[in-house]
Amino acid sequence: MTVQDETRPAAWKTAMVVTAVVAVGFVAWALKGILTPFLLAVFLLLMIDGLARALRERIPGFPRRLAMPAALTLIVAFFLAVIWMVANNTAQFVAQASGYEKRLNTILGQVAAKVGLHVPPTVEGLVHQLNPAKYAAPLAQGAQGVASGAFVVLLYLAFLVASRGNFSRKGAKLFGDPTSRNDASRIFQRIREGVEGYVWVQTVAGLLIAVPAGVLMAVLGLGHAAFWALLIFVASYMPVIGGAVGTILPPIFALLQFPGFVQPIILLAGLQAIGFVVGNVVQPRMQGSSLNLDPVAIFLALAFWGALWGITGAFLSTPLTVTAMAIMSQFKSTEWIAVLLSSNGEP
């Protein structure tokens, strides 16, 4: 066998991966408006099922019939509360823009004096150069899209909840052979356990960061402390960039609110310390081998789905990768991809 023959399988596998990634990327991009709200609804349904199971199994005496309605009410209420708080606080930030402009002009003047600029720049001059008028329409469309997108997600969720009782019967029809039915059930069980394990770890880690961060911001007197704490909690579901968003944005607004630099520095140091302890000590011990995803795979999935679907893609990148690894590990032709995605080589 020649060297060319020996390297042919590896080259074929590489070509297959590239082709599959391009095909998935094109389909995902073309069907973005349909897939993103549907997958968000599926993600919410998995959270609801997991919470209902926890209520039944971990709370003694909790009525089994009330577990699903209670979980559905809690998850939907939290989802709507996030949308409301984002919209409400965005309006307040816009109303306080004049105060932020004065503080920014002061900071720009101080920075200009440090670097030796005789004519310091102003916010008005920078805004004029950026020409925000051309961004007004896209921003307005984006704000409208958030509201309409939330409605579509809840609509999908309602239909999924209504039809979830028929999933087992459909599975029995689709997989008539008992062996195939057991294999499909095992794959679904692995996907559910992987996604639920990821959600559980990120939820607890998010709370461990958001609660002390909210207390710290309230003690320092930062405005909208509850909103920033909620943002930190929600951002914890986005790997890599979530922690950066949660630790950078509040200190920036503290810099705009307070006249000095003491509170922003204390807030930045405090948030970094909280994130470091939770992310490097608490979260790895909780996670263990439940997720079993290579950190490089998590980062590449974040970049891939984030580029295709924006914030929604970043939010769903890890659950989608867990799902892909669970499915591909069941077939010989794609098992090697699951091995590469896994952390310990045993997907």
Side-chain angles (χ1 to χ4, degrees):
M1 180 181 292
T2 64
V3 175
Q4 184 178 3
D5 293 333
E6 293 176 354
T7 58
R8 187 173 297 171
W12 178 81
K13 289 181 179 180
T14 302
M16 184 178 69
V17 171
V18 172
T19 303
V21 169
V22 172
V24 170
F26 176 77
V27 173
W29 173 79
L31 300 179
K32 174 182 178 180
I34 299 175
L35 292 178
T36 51
F38 176 74
L39 290 177
L40 273 176
V42 172
F43 183 75
L44 288 177
L45 181 62
L46 289 175
M47 293 181 67
I48 292 168
D49 275 336
L51 180 57
R53 194 177 306 109
L55 291 175
R56 290 193 301 266
E57 298 175 357
R58 299 187 181 185
I59 300 181
F62 194 92
R64 296 183 61 87
R65 291 184 178 181
L66 295 180
M68 188 64 183
L72 178 62
T73 301
L74 289 173
I75 297 297
V76 172
F78 177 76
F79 180 76
L80 293 177
V82 171
I83 299 299
W84 178 81
M85 287 195 70
V86 169
N88 184 53
N89 283 271
T90 300
Q92 294 182 22
F93 288 141
V94 172
Q96 298 168 357
S98 59
Y100 294 145
E101 181 179 353
K102 294 178 181 178
R103 176 59 180 157
L104 275 174
N105 283 330
T106 302
I107 296 174
L108 291 173
Q110 293 174 350
V111 173
K114 292 290 185 181
V115 300
L117 290 178
H118 298 290
V119 181
T122 63
V123 175
E124 184 179 358
L126 294 175
V127 169
H128 179 72
Q129 292 180 6
L130 290 174
N131 188 19
K134 65 180 180 180
Y135 302 107
L139 286 175
Q141 292 176 358
Q144 184 180 4
V146 170
S148 61
F151 174 76
V152 174
V153 170
L154 292 178
L155 191 62
Y156 275 126
L157 179 62
F159 280 101
L160 286 172
V161 171
S163 61
R164 62 186 296 274
N166 297 322
F167 289 167
S168 58
R169 281 180 287 181
K170 291 180 180 179
K173 290 290 184 180
L174 288 173
F175 304 98
D177 180 37
T179 303
S180 300
R181 190 183 310 125
N182 291 334
D183 290 341
S185 177
R186 186 175 65 253
I187 294 174
F188 176 75
Q189 183 70 15
R190 288 184 179 181
I191 293 173
R192 190 184 69 180
E193 291 177 353
V195 174
E196 287 184 359
Y198 166 75
V199 170
W200 169 249
V201 171
Q202 296 305 116
T203 299
V204 175
L207 287 174
L208 291 177
I209 296 175
V211 172
V215 173
L216 177 62
M217 289 183 287
V219 169
L220 291 175
L222 181 68
H224 311 282
F227 167 74
W228 293 120
L230 179 65
L231 178 65
I232 291 173
F233 174 73
V234 175
S236 66
Y237 291 97
M238 293 184 288
V240 184
I241 62 174
V245 170
T247 57
I248 292 176
L249 284 183
I252 290 177
F253 275 85
L255 193 64
L256 299 178
Q257 176 181 333
F258 298 107
F261 297 94
V262 176
Q263 292 92 338
I265 292 175
I266 293 176
L267 183 57
L268 178 62
L271 293 179
Q272 291 288 348
I274 295 170
F276 179 83
V277 171
V278 175
N280 294 277
V281 179
V282 179
Q283 192 170 1
R285 294 185 179 182
M286 290 179 55
Q287 185 169 297
S289 59
S290 60
L291 192 58
N292 193 22
L293 276 180
D294 190 273
V296 177
I298 294 176
F299 184 78
L300 289 176
L302 174 69
F304 178 75
W305 293 109
L308 288 177
W309 292 347
I311 295 178
T312 304
F315 187 82
L316 294 173
S317 60
T318 301
L320 287 172
T321 308
V322 170
T323 302
M325 184 177 69
I327 294 175
M328 289 187 292
S329 66
Q330 303 301 313
F331 304 97
K332 288 294 183 181
S333 59
T334 57
E335 185 180 11
W336 62 277
I337 303 178
V339 171
L340 292 177
L341 292 175
S342 66
S343 177
N344 58 6
E346 298 180 1

